[in-house]
């Protein structure tokens, strides 16, 4: 069983532009439609993310 983080870095959500429902990718139907109103176009929201420290090739 996979445990999906609810908050923190790298958490992705989907938002429906029609009914403004925010849900996790697992709640979206297999065809990518909104579970509440059936809108086919869901917007992907991502909060945070993993910061990658780049030293610019310096030693």
């Amino acid at each position: 069983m996979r445990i999906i983080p609810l908050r923190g870095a790298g958490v992705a959500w989907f938002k429906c532009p029609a009914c403004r429902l925010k849900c996790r990718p697992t709640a979206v139907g297999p065809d990518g439609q909104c579970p509440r109103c059936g809108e086919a176009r869901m917007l992907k929201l991502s909060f945070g993310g993993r910061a990658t420290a780049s030293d610019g090739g310096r030693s």
Side-chain angles (χ1 to χ4, degrees):
M1 181 170 96
R2 183 174 178 197
I3 299 172
I4 299 171
L6 296 177
R7 45 181 103 152
V11 175
W13 290 83
F14 283 106
K15 181 178 179 181
C16 178
C19 69
R20 299 183 185 263
L21 174 73
K22 293 183 189 96
C23 63
R24 296 299 307 241
T26 55
V28 176
D31 49 359
Q33 292 183 337
C34 175
R36 180 188 288 169
C37 70
E39 175 72 27
R41 188 178 59 118
M42 296 285 286
L43 304 173
K44 184 175 182 180
L45 307 172
S46 59
F47 301 102
R50 294 187 179 179
T52 56
S54 175
D55 62 349
R58 297 182 208 149
S59 297

